[in-house]
Amino acid sequence: MKQHLRVAAYAVCVQDGRILLARWVARDGTRRWTLPGGGMDHGEDPVGTVVREVAEETGCTAEVTALLGVDSMTTRRPGRFGSGEDFQSLRIVYEARITAGEPRPETDGSTDLAAWHPLDSVPALARVSLVDIGLELWRARPALGRVDGSVHGTG
């Protein structure tokens, strides 16, 4: 089975009791809210990645204020002509504050909308598990930078 590792950086932007989220569009058209962020380019610094991704996905300028933690997710993907792929996503989660801009849709990307959401409305949103992981890291600020000792499945 082919193995694939993707390293990505995401931002938890909480201001005035609201969190900034981007709406991710899956290949099947399903739309779920996620933290703004995404994959690192080769040679790119993770802080630079998250600042770039927040700008691309939300139209806002972000300043990273803290490293919250790291999350690892594994997924097995079926292959069209073979044994498939064992996919691992290593997700670096930062706290960031928005210094300029208003949320706007991403152009030609994997998200179609960006918006501020009241923190108490998050449980009712259709969202990926990374939103909950990011908020838990933001609230708990665990010494080891992990929500728990487990590796997460799809989400």
PDB file of all heavy atoms in Angstrom, residues 6-9 37-50 52-53 56:
ATOM      1  N   ARG A   6       1.084  14.319   4.462  1.00  0.00           N
ATOM      2  CA  ARG A   6       0.800  15.725   4.146  1.00  0.00           C
ATOM      3  C   ARG A   6       0.969  16.521   5.429  1.00  0.00           C
ATOM      4  O   ARG A   6       0.345  16.210   6.443  1.00  0.00           O
ATOM      5  CB  ARG A   6      -0.623  15.884   3.623  1.00  0.00           C
ATOM      6  CG  ARG A   6      -1.004  17.334   3.330  1.00  0.00           C
ATOM      7  CD  ARG A   6      -2.434  17.392   2.780  1.00  0.00           C
ATOM      8  NE  ARG A   6      -2.819  18.721   2.404  1.00  0.00           N
ATOM      9  CZ  ARG A   6      -3.556  19.535   3.154  1.00  0.00           C
ATOM     10  NH1 ARG A   6      -3.988  19.147   4.357  1.00  0.00           N
ATOM     11  NH2 ARG A   6      -3.890  20.734   2.728  1.00  0.00           N
ATOM     12  N   VAL A   7       1.805  17.559   5.379  1.00  0.00           N
ATOM     13  CA  VAL A   7       1.988  18.451   6.518  1.00  0.00           C
ATOM     14  C   VAL A   7       1.244  19.743   6.213  1.00  0.00           C
ATOM     15  O   VAL A   7       1.385  20.315   5.122  1.00  0.00           O
ATOM     16  CB  VAL A   7       3.486  18.731   6.778  1.00  0.00           C
ATOM     17  CG1 VAL A   7       3.660  19.669   7.963  1.00  0.00           C
ATOM     18  CG2 VAL A   7       4.240  17.423   7.013  1.00  0.00           C
ATOM     19  N   ALA A   8       0.435  20.174   7.170  1.00  0.00           N
ATOM     20  CA  ALA A   8      -0.382  21.367   6.975  1.00  0.00           C
ATOM     21  C   ALA A   8      -0.386  22.216   8.243  1.00  0.00           C
ATOM     22  O   ALA A   8      -0.081  21.717   9.333  1.00  0.00           O
ATOM     23  CB  ALA A   8      -1.813  20.966   6.611  1.00  0.00           C
ATOM     24  N   ALA A   9      -0.722  23.478   8.094  1.00  0.00           N
ATOM     25  CA  ALA A   9      -0.791  24.400   9.233  1.00  0.00           C
ATOM     26  C   ALA A   9      -2.144  25.101   9.218  1.00  0.00           C
ATOM     27  O   ALA A   9      -2.629  25.514   8.156  1.00  0.00           O
ATOM     28  CB  ALA A   9       0.346  25.415   9.153  1.00  0.00           C
ATOM     29  N   GLY A  37      -6.567  27.186   6.787  1.00  0.00           N
ATOM     30  CA  GLY A  37      -5.219  26.641   6.739  1.00  0.00           C
ATOM     31  C   GLY A  37      -5.088  25.658   5.608  1.00  0.00           C
ATOM     32  O   GLY A  37      -6.013  25.464   4.827  1.00  0.00           O
ATOM     33  N   GLY A  38      -3.924  25.024   5.529  1.00  0.00           N
ATOM     34  CA  GLY A  38      -3.737  24.055   4.473  1.00  0.00           C
ATOM     35  C   GLY A  38      -2.309  23.590   4.367  1.00  0.00           C
ATOM     36  O   GLY A  38      -1.478  23.868   5.238  1.00  0.00           O
ATOM     37  N   GLY A  39      -2.031  22.895   3.291  1.00  0.00           N
ATOM     38  CA  GLY A  39      -0.758  22.224   3.091  1.00  0.00           C
ATOM     39  C   GLY A  39       0.427  23.151   2.906  1.00  0.00           C
ATOM     40  O   GLY A  39       0.321  24.201   2.280  1.00  0.00           O
ATOM     41  N   MET A  40       1.552  22.695   3.471  1.00  0.00           N
ATOM     42  CA  MET A  40       2.812  23.426   3.326  1.00  0.00           C
ATOM     43  C   MET A  40       3.418  23.144   1.958  1.00  0.00           C
ATOM     44  O   MET A  40       3.392  22.014   1.481  1.00  0.00           O
ATOM     45  CB  MET A  40       3.817  22.967   4.391  1.00  0.00           C
ATOM     46  CG  MET A  40       3.560  23.493   5.763  1.00  0.00           C
ATOM     47  SD  MET A  40       4.752  22.857   6.985  1.00  0.00           S
ATOM     48  CE  MET A  40       6.308  23.223   6.217  1.00  0.00           C
ATOM     49  N   ASP A  41       3.955  24.177   1.344  1.00  0.00           N
ATOM     50  CA  ASP A  41       4.743  24.010   0.130  1.00  0.00           C
ATOM     51  C   ASP A  41       6.148  23.593   0.533  1.00  0.00           C
ATOM     52  O   ASP A  41       6.614  23.928   1.631  1.00  0.00           O
ATOM     53  CB  ASP A  41       4.803  25.322  -0.657  1.00  0.00           C
ATOM     54  CG  ASP A  41       3.455  25.725  -1.227  1.00  0.00           C
ATOM     55  OD1 ASP A  41       2.610  24.831  -1.467  1.00  0.00           O
ATOM     56  OD2 ASP A  41       3.237  26.940  -1.426  1.00  0.00           O
ATOM     57  N   HIS A  42       6.847  22.872  -0.344  1.00  0.00           N
ATOM     58  CA  HIS A  42       8.206  22.435  -0.047  1.00  0.00           C
ATOM     59  C   HIS A  42       9.080  23.648   0.290  1.00  0.00           C
ATOM     60  O   HIS A  42       9.078  24.643  -0.430  1.00  0.00           O
ATOM     61  CB  HIS A  42       8.802  21.683  -1.233  1.00  0.00           C
ATOM     62  CG  HIS A  42      10.201  21.218  -0.972  1.00  0.00           C
ATOM     63  ND1 HIS A  42      10.471  20.111  -0.207  1.00  0.00           N
ATOM     64  CD2 HIS A  42      11.393  21.735  -1.332  1.00  0.00           C
ATOM     65  CE1 HIS A  42      11.774  19.957  -0.115  1.00  0.00           C
ATOM     66  NE2 HIS A  42      12.357  20.931  -0.787  1.00  0.00           N
ATOM     67  N   GLY A  43       9.794  23.556   1.407  1.00  0.00           N
ATOM     68  CA  GLY A  43      10.695  24.625   1.825  1.00  0.00           C
ATOM     69  C   GLY A  43      10.024  25.770   2.557  1.00  0.00           C
ATOM     70  O   GLY A  43      10.692  26.700   3.000  1.00  0.00           O
ATOM     71  N   GLU A  44       8.716  25.720   2.696  1.00  0.00           N
ATOM     72  CA  GLU A  44       7.973  26.797   3.343  1.00  0.00           C
ATOM     73  C   GLU A  44       7.979  26.603   4.863  1.00  0.00           C
ATOM     74  O   GLU A  44       7.885  25.479   5.355  1.00  0.00           O
ATOM     75  CB  GLU A  44       6.532  26.797   2.826  1.00  0.00           C
ATOM     76  CG  GLU A  44       5.687  27.962   3.275  1.00  0.00           C
ATOM     77  CD  GLU A  44       4.311  27.959   2.634  1.00  0.00           C
ATOM     78  OE1 GLU A  44       3.762  26.878   2.346  1.00  0.00           O
ATOM     79  OE2 GLU A  44       3.763  29.056   2.422  1.00  0.00           O
ATOM     80  N   ASP A  45       8.079  27.696   5.597  1.00  0.00           N
ATOM     81  CA  ASP A  45       7.991  27.667   7.048  1.00  0.00           C
ATOM     82  C   ASP A  45       6.524  27.494   7.447  1.00  0.00           C
ATOM     83  O   ASP A  45       5.640  28.095   6.826  1.00  0.00           O
ATOM     84  CB  ASP A  45       8.537  28.990   7.608  1.00  0.00           C
ATOM     85  CG  ASP A  45       8.471  29.026   9.109  1.00  0.00           C
ATOM     86  OD1 ASP A  45       9.372  28.464   9.747  1.00  0.00           O
ATOM     87  OD2 ASP A  45       7.500  29.609   9.642  1.00  0.00           O
ATOM     88  N   PRO A  46       6.215  26.694   8.481  1.00  0.00           N
ATOM     89  CA  PRO A  46       4.810  26.483   8.858  1.00  0.00           C
ATOM     90  C   PRO A  46       4.070  27.768   9.253  1.00  0.00           C
ATOM     91  O   PRO A  46       2.883  27.910   8.968  1.00  0.00           O
ATOM     92  CB  PRO A  46       4.873  25.509  10.031  1.00  0.00           C
ATOM     93  CG  PRO A  46       6.251  25.007  10.100  1.00  0.00           C
ATOM     94  CD  PRO A  46       7.121  25.860   9.267  1.00  0.00           C
ATOM     95  N   VAL A  47       4.765  28.710   9.895  1.00  0.00           N
ATOM     96  CA  VAL A  47       4.110  29.988  10.231  1.00  0.00           C
ATOM     97  C   VAL A  47       3.749  30.738   8.949  1.00  0.00           C
ATOM     98  O   VAL A  47       2.660  31.282   8.808  1.00  0.00           O
ATOM     99  CB  VAL A  47       4.996  30.839  11.167  1.00  0.00           C
ATOM    100  CG1 VAL A  47       4.420  32.243  11.334  1.00  0.00           C
ATOM    101  CG2 VAL A  47       5.132  30.165  12.528  1.00  0.00           C
ATOM    102  N   GLY A  48       4.667  30.723   7.991  1.00  0.00           N
ATOM    103  CA  GLY A  48       4.370  31.332   6.698  1.00  0.00           C
ATOM    104  C   GLY A  48       3.210  30.648   5.998  1.00  0.00           C
ATOM    105  O   GLY A  48       2.381  31.301   5.352  1.00  0.00           O
ATOM    106  N   THR A  49       3.143  29.332   6.132  1.00  0.00           N
ATOM    107  CA  THR A  49       2.038  28.573   5.537  1.00  0.00           C
ATOM    108  C   THR A  49       0.697  29.035   6.086  1.00  0.00           C
ATOM    109  O   THR A  49      -0.234  29.305   5.328  1.00  0.00           O
ATOM    110  CB  THR A  49       2.203  27.064   5.802  1.00  0.00           C
ATOM    111  OG1 THR A  49       3.407  26.614   5.203  1.00  0.00           O
ATOM    112  CG2 THR A  49       1.024  26.267   5.256  1.00  0.00           C
ATOM    113  N   VAL A  50       0.584  29.108   7.406  1.00  0.00           N
ATOM    114  CA  VAL A  50      -0.709  29.444   7.991  1.00  0.00           C
ATOM    115  C   VAL A  50      -1.103  30.890   7.666  1.00  0.00           C
ATOM    116  O   VAL A  50      -2.270  31.156   7.380  1.00  0.00           O
ATOM    117  CB  VAL A  50      -0.763  29.128   9.506  1.00  0.00           C
ATOM    118  CG1 VAL A  50      -0.040  30.157  10.346  1.00  0.00           C
ATOM    119  CG2 VAL A  50      -2.189  28.963   9.979  1.00  0.00           C
ATOM    120  N   ARG A  52      -0.250  32.556   4.945  1.00  0.00           N
ATOM    121  CA  ARG A  52      -0.649  32.526   3.527  1.00  0.00           C
ATOM    122  C   ARG A  52      -2.020  31.904   3.347  1.00  0.00           C
ATOM    123  O   ARG A  52      -2.884  32.441   2.640  1.00  0.00           O
ATOM    124  CB  ARG A  52       0.397  31.739   2.718  1.00  0.00           C
ATOM    125  CG  ARG A  52      -0.007  31.510   1.254  1.00  0.00           C
ATOM    126  CD  ARG A  52       1.028  30.693   0.495  1.00  0.00           C
ATOM    127  NE  ARG A  52       1.357  29.405   1.081  1.00  0.00           N
ATOM    128  CZ  ARG A  52       0.603  28.301   0.989  1.00  0.00           C
ATOM    129  NH1 ARG A  52      -0.575  28.327   0.384  1.00  0.00           N
ATOM    130  NH2 ARG A  52       1.017  27.157   1.540  1.00  0.00           N
ATOM    131  N   GLU A  53      -2.252  30.765   4.004  1.00  0.00           N
ATOM    132  CA  GLU A  53      -3.522  30.066   3.851  1.00  0.00           C
ATOM    133  C   GLU A  53      -4.701  30.863   4.408  1.00  0.00           C
ATOM    134  O   GLU A  53      -5.783  30.870   3.818  1.00  0.00           O
ATOM    135  CB  GLU A  53      -3.450  28.686   4.512  1.00  0.00           C
ATOM    136  CG  GLU A  53      -2.612  27.680   3.748  1.00  0.00           C
ATOM    137  CD  GLU A  53      -3.326  27.110   2.525  1.00  0.00           C
ATOM    138  OE1 GLU A  53      -4.549  27.284   2.386  1.00  0.00           O
ATOM    139  OE2 GLU A  53      -2.633  26.475   1.710  1.00  0.00           O
ATOM    140  N   GLU A  56      -5.457  33.397   1.780  1.00  0.00           N
ATOM    141  CA  GLU A  56      -6.081  32.812   0.593  1.00  0.00           C
ATOM    142  C   GLU A  56      -7.528  32.403   0.854  1.00  0.00           C
ATOM    143  O   GLU A  56      -8.403  32.646   0.014  1.00  0.00           O
ATOM    144  CB  GLU A  56      -5.295  31.573   0.142  1.00  0.00           C
ATOM    145  CG  GLU A  56      -3.957  31.878  -0.481  1.00  0.00           C
ATOM    146  CD  GLU A  56      -3.144  30.636  -0.809  1.00  0.00           C
ATOM    147  OE1 GLU A  56      -3.642  29.494  -0.650  1.00  0.00           O
ATOM    148  OE2 GLU A  56      -1.987  30.804  -1.232  1.00  0.00           O
TER     149      GLU A  56
END
